[in-house]
Amino acid sequence: MVVGDNADEDFETVSVGGLANLVRACGYGDISCAEPDKNLRYCHRKGDCDIYMFFNESVSKTVDTSVTLSDFDGGEYIVYDAFENKAVRRVSDDGSVKINLPPYNSCVVIIGADKSDFDIAEEYRERKYVSCETADCTYDISLCAEGGVYGHWRTKDRLVNITGREGRADFSGNIRYETTVRLTGGNYVLDFGEVGQTAQLSVNGKKVGVRLFPPYSFDISEYVCDGDNRIELVVTNTLAPKLRDEFSKYLMIPPSGLIGPVTIKKY
């Protein structure tokens, strides 16, 4: 690769692998990562404030690194979660921001914004878990194919792949899990582990939220009460088990339904 504005200028030939270091050395680097990760992508929009969107392209690995941003010496910044529609305020001492993105996840970092333009939920506070227990539950499982109604399938005390050997290999639709968990006062996160593929949670008849990708975890603190709590999780898989074409019929189908393990974390 040749660096230079025209043929009369001095130029330097560099390898593609060395291009990034040369760009930084010339003062054009926009961000730098404490631990570079090939799965991390970002977009930077400049204007009245600087807006960075970070995205993890990996389908299996979490991106966990600190990112130093150009023209940011530290101070307050905003992290916005578009999926949850929630903004939190964070503080940097050295101009770096912490990025922790599970597979498929993204976040928006905003520098120099007028805080009054945002409905900021709270200062960022990292959860400190005091206990983590596996939920020992018996699940009433009902199935609803596309356009149909729910019908009871089985009551099980262990979780299985709905489209696996113990289930219905060609099922496509909604899989509803109903159970009860006993809790005492405190703050809780309910983590469902592996899910195939999307999950919608209700606790005590109130909708908590939807997850389209991992982690399939929900903060249920404001929905629970002391004693028994009714849990309803609706998992929706894809059409892959039902509609197989010549190109895909020999491919391994991802598991369907709630696979787990299901854990209850108190913080």
Side-chain angles (χ1 to χ4, degrees), residues 8 32 38 70 75 105 126 131 189 203 232 249 259 265:
D8 296 329
S32 61
K38 66 180 181 180
S70 62
N105 280 246
E126 187 172 358
S131 66
V189 169
V203 175
E232 179 185 290
K249 67 181 182 181
I259 309 301
K265 303 176 183 178

Side-chain angles (χ1 to χ4, degrees), residues 5 7 12 36 39 67 77 86 90 92 132 134-136 153 155-156 168 174 179 219-220 252 255 257 267:
D5 291 337
E12 179 181 354
N39 297 305
V67 178
Y77 64 98
K86 183 171 68 174
R90 301 187 70 164
S92 170
C132 179
T134 301
D136 185 15
W153 182 58
T155 298
K156 297 187 71 68
R168 290 173 46 183
N174 296 332
T179 190
D219 190 328
I220 59 173
M252 182 178 295
Y267 70 93

Side-chain angles (χ1 to χ4, degrees), residues 158-175:
R158 63 185 183 87
L159 297 169
V160 299
N161 175 11
I162 297 298
T163 51
R165 291 183 178 180
E166 298 182 56
R168 290 173 46 183
D170 62 346
F171 178 78
S172 175
N174 296 332
I175 308 144

